[in-house]
Amino acid sequence: MPKRILPNLVEDEEFFKMFRDEAMINMRLEHPNIVRIHEFDESMGVHFIEMEYVAGDDMRRIEKTAAKLGVGIPIGSIVRIVADAAAGLDYAHKAKDARGRPLNLVHRDVSPQNILVGFDGSVKLIDFGVAKAAGRAQHTATGILKGKFPYMSPEQATGKPVDARSDVFSLGIILWEFLTARRLFKGANDAETQRLVRDCQVPRPSSVEPSVPPGLDSVVLRALAKEENLNIAQEF
């Protein structure tokens, strides 16, 4: 499945270099829970990346479809999807280059739209690494943060440097929301959403939705703690 780079971004030399470098790094990532990038090339003046095709839909569309049908997504399915996404994150966060040096990859845009679920039950993270390159260029050029405010960590929402823990926090938001069928940090506007993220007031999922097993509370709350969530991806 090809993904083209917009012409105006190709003209941005800094962005193009970062996009190319991140695409090349992403091509090294071989994990069943990360969409594979097969090729980065140019054809007739158009630069593109050739990605693995996933026959399925993203978590947000699945959620909307379930709501229209008036059915809930089974808790077991939610946990399985998030666990598989966490496995992909854990692998990428620990990835090293050919010399054994950490790549320090950070997705920066872990959200329901970037988690694909195949009709065969497979779970794939998309835009890993590419989001990081786009974030750098966009922040440098316009001062706008890359990512979706309702799924940012407090550090990311305030423009501070982020590491793997920020991605884990974002995944924790997704788990909380899908378990409770409610939004966690979604405000009336971006400013209010940022404030909610910074305040980081997170009720236990089971206190919001009684059908959630209390045993899941500690996992969710640890992922959404302001500190010490670096290794939580291993526990999903």
Side-chain angles (χ1 to χ4, degrees), residues 13-225:
E13 183 177 350
E14 181 183 4
F15 169 80
F16 179 73
K17 182 178 183 300
M18 288 189 293
F19 188 96
R20 180 198 62 201
D21 292 346
E22 293 291 347
M24 294 302 159
I25 289 174
N26 205 34
M27 288 173 67
R28 302 177 187 173
L29 301 180
E30 297 187 21
H31 190 276
N33 300 121
I34 297 177
V35 163
R36 175 79 168 147
I37 291 183
H38 300 296
E39 183 181 13
F40 177 82
D41 209 342
E42 178 266 337
S43 177
M44 300 180 65
V46 178
H47 291 81
F48 66 91
I49 54 177
E50 184 68 30
M51 303 170 60
E52 171 188 3
Y53 175 71
V54 179
D57 225 330
D58 65 62
M59 288 189 73
R60 180 62 78 214
R61 288 180 179 272
I62 292 173
E63 177 190 47
K64 290 181 178 180
T65 299
K68 287 181 180 179
L69 296 175
V71 298
I73 303 174
I75 290 177
S77 297
I78 294 170
V79 172
R80 181 71 267 167
I81 292 169
V82 172
D84 286 350
L89 281 175
D90 185 58
Y91 167 83
H93 290 157
K94 295 176 179 177
K96 298 180 180 180
D97 64 16
R99 297 183 180 181
R101 298 172 298 189
L103 292 174
N104 297 319
L105 294 177
V106 184
H107 191 292
R108 297 191 183 192
D109 195 14
V110 177
S111 60
Q113 292 88 335
N114 282 333
I115 300 177
L116 303 183
V117 181
F119 296 133
D120 61 355
S122 61
V123 176
K124 307 273 187 177
L125 284 166
I126 62 174
D127 282 352
F128 209 118
V130 174
K132 182 177 181 180
R136 287 176 181 165
Q138 190 177 35
H139 183 76
T140 299
T142 67
I144 299 176
L145 297 172
K146 171 65 179 180
K148 302 172 183 66
F149 285 118
Y151 296 98
M152 288 184 178
S153 65
E155 293 78 13
Q156 186 178 6
T158 53
K160 296 178 181 178
V162 297
D163 57 24
R165 290 170 290 187
S166 182
D167 286 344
V168 173
F169 190 95
S170 299
L171 191 60
I173 297 174
I174 294 172
L175 181 57
W176 191 97
E177 291 188 342
F178 275 73
L179 288 174
T180 63
R182 300 187 185 185
R183 300 300 296 272
L184 182 56
F185 297 132
K186 178 68 173 176
N189 50 54
D190 286 346
E192 183 179 351
T193 298
Q194 282 184 290
R195 180 186 62 77
L196 292 172
V197 172
R198 290 195 302 269
D199 291 346
C200 198
Q201 299 298 312
V202 184
R204 291 179 294 107
S206 63
S207 71
V208 178
E209 173 50 61
S211 66
V212 176
L216 285 174
D217 288 342
S218 61
V219 175
V220 176
L221 295 180
R222 186 179 173 195
L224 291 172

